[in-house]
Amino acid sequence: MSEIQAPRDFGRVGEDGTVYVKVGDTERAVGQVPDATEEEALAFYTRRYENLAAEVQLLGSRIEQRAMSPEDARKSIDHLTTSVSEANAVGDLQALVTRLEALEAQLPAQIEERKQARAEQNAQTIQAKEAMVEEAEALAAGNDWRGGVDRFRELLEQWKQLPRVDRATDNELWRRFSTARTHYTRRRKAHFTELNQTRDRAKQLKQEIIAEAEPLADSTDWGPTSAAFRDLMNRWKAAGSAKRSEDDQLWARFRGIQDRFFNARTAAQNAVDGEQSENLEKKTALVDQVERDLDGVTDVERVKQVHRDFLARFSELGHVPRGAMRDLDARVRTISDKVAAMEAEEWRRTDPEARKRAEDTVALFESQVAKLERDLAEAQANQDERQVRDTSKSLETYKSWLDQARATLDDFLR
């Protein structure tokens, strides 16, 4: 700067060593430097001016770069203006004052800019907080008991990072946010309290079911016990869930009891199935044999004797698998129909002993029907559903044969 380079333009040294500074059309004394030359005295006070000029320049840079608030800038300008006006320094002090005045003239615009920026920031902050409040209220009304806790924690941290807005608005938004969080916390606590009570009740119910199941594990009353286990399983499902670790342990106990019973039942049924399969093989061979024995035979007495022997041996064999009963019974019925047809033909030829043979056949079937009816009553008493079905099927077959035999006998009684 020229004024710094030519300090004599703004100052002088009097004969008595006093240093003066020129400010406009006036001058004033700024001090003395003992035992110093004129140049040294001016240099001393010029350096003071340079320091002030540096402060003004730094302040100007900060103000122009918006590095400080207009309020702080105004305070600094006032303070530095006073310092320049009263400075004991040599230099263009008026230029520094003018520069400070120019800086102060920039402040109204900066104040307005900051006001607008603050308004925009407030609007953004309010918008952000309103969005957070709406999300918090939605969480408070929902049932996300796991994720909701973490989300409320995140929202609270985000809230703390946001600046405050005007007190009324900020207080109202915080009141809504805080209320939502409190409401959620209370509902969540109530939910888990109720859930724990429900789980404790489920645990108690399942323990009671296990206690009822344990005496059934070794039962051999397959039908009723199977029904009882089905009922217990329905109750188990309806009981709900206990705590996961406890629920798994309870289920392992109940499942073990069920497995013990049903494995025993399966083993017993497999034994029955094996016996029935053997019976099927024997009955099938017997039917094959009687079909061969009757093939081409015209002697009715011989046919009837073979048929009676066949029925007696066939009846002595036990039950066969249910799936094979229909075909086997159909073959036996065909044999009986053939014998009945031959007997009817013989009756038409008035065989004197036909009536006696018809009575014997009726008596044989009546005896077998009576036996099957006793077996059926016993199976029903034991609630053996499978035995009831098999015996009922056999009884139906023998009753059909009995009806045919009685029809033949009735022909003799007309």
Side-chain angles (χ1 to χ4, degrees), residues 209-247:
I209 292 172
I210 289 173
E212 292 182 41
E214 285 176 338
L216 302 177
D218 298 320
S219 172
T220 57
D221 197 1
W222 310 122
T225 307
S226 297
F229 269 113
R230 284 194 297 272
D231 178 65
L232 291 176
M233 176 57 76
N234 290 334
R235 287 168 54 192
W236 184 279
K237 294 177 179 178
S241 299
K243 294 178 181 178
R244 177 172 297 180
S245 58
E246 296 177 339
D247 209 51

Side-chain angles (χ1 to χ4, degrees), residues 40-85:
E40 290 174 343
L42 286 174
F44 176 80
Y45 287 102
T46 298
R47 283 194 297 272
R48 287 189 175 183
Y49 170 80
E50 290 173 347
N51 291 335
L52 286 173
E55 289 186 46
V56 172
Q57 183 179 3
L58 177 60
L59 178 61
S61 296
R62 295 187 64 195
I63 291 174
E64 290 171 354
Q65 294 174 6
R66 275 58 170 183
M68 60 194 309
S69 69
E71 292 76 13
D72 290 341
R74 189 181 300 280
K75 291 178 182 178
S76 296
I77 289 172
D78 291 344
H79 173 73
L80 200 51
T81 298
T82 300
S83 297
V84 170
S85 300

Side-chain angles (χ1 to χ4, degrees), residues 116-263:
Q116 292 178 0
R118 189 179 296 109
E120 292 176 2
Q121 184 185 61
N122 284 350
Q124 293 173 358
T125 301
I126 290 173
Q127 184 178 8
K129 288 188 175 183
E130 285 178 342
M132 294 167 68
V133 166
E134 290 174 1
E135 182 177 354
E137 290 174 341
L139 286 172
N143 298 324
D144 186 2
W145 308 122
R146 300 293 182 186
V149 172
D150 294 335
R151 185 53 185 158
F152 263 113
R153 189 178 296 112
E154 292 171 359
L155 289 174
L156 182 59
E157 290 302 315
Q158 293 173 15
W159 188 284
K160 292 177 180 179
Q161 300 302 317
L162 293 175
R164 291 180 61 85
V165 294
D166 65 278
R167 177 173 296 183
T169 302
D170 210 61
N171 288 345
E172 174 59 18
L173 290 173
W174 172 251
R175 183 194 64 78
R176 289 175 58 191
F177 181 82
S178 179
T179 299
R181 188 174 59 154
T182 300
H183 182 59
Y184 172 84
T185 301
R186 289 175 179 172
R187 290 185 62 235
R188 181 176 181 274
K189 182 178 180 180
H191 165 76
F192 282 107
T193 298
E194 181 180 357
L195 182 61
N196 288 334
Q197 292 174 348
T198 301
R199 287 175 174 173
D200 290 343
R201 177 58 179 164
K203 176 183 177 181
Q204 179 182 351
L205 291 175
K206 289 184 175 181
Q207 288 174 332
E208 293 173 358
I209 292 172
I210 289 173
E212 292 182 41
E214 285 176 338
L216 302 177
D218 298 320
S219 172
T220 57
D221 197 1
W222 310 122
T225 307
S226 297
F229 269 113
R230 284 194 297 272
D231 178 65
L232 291 176
M233 176 57 76
N234 290 334
R235 287 168 54 192
W236 184 279
K237 294 177 179 178
S241 299
K243 294 178 181 178
R244 177 172 297 180
S245 58
E246 296 177 339
D247 209 51
D248 291 343
Q249 293 175 359
L250 291 169
W251 171 247
R253 289 177 58 194
F254 183 53
R255 182 62 182 271
I257 295 171
Q258 292 185 91
D259 287 347
R260 204 163 85 205
F261 168 77
F262 285 108
N263 288 341

Side-chain angles (χ1 to χ4, degrees), residues 308 311-312 315 356-375 394-410 413:
R308 283 194 297 271
L311 292 177
S315 300
K356 180 65 170 64
R357 289 193 294 272
E359 291 173 345
D360 292 343
T361 300
V362 169
L364 176 64
F365 285 141
E366 287 177 341
S367 174
Q368 185 60 30
V369 167
K371 177 180 179 299
L372 289 173
E373 286 177 341
R374 290 193 299 273
D375 291 345
S394 296
L395 181 60
E396 178 182 353
T397 299
Y398 277 93
K399 282 184 176 180
S400 174
W401 296 344
L402 177 59
D403 290 342
Q404 294 177 12
R406 283 173 174 170
T408 300
L409 181 61
D410 288 344
L413 298 178

Side-chain angles (χ1 to χ4, degrees), residues 11 13 43 94 103 112 139 192 196 268 324 327 334 357 374 391 394:
V13 181
Q94 184 59 48
L103 291 175
E112 185 61 28
L139 286 172
F192 282 107
N196 288 334
D327 292 340
T334 298
R357 289 193 294 272
R374 290 193 299 273
T391 305
S394 296

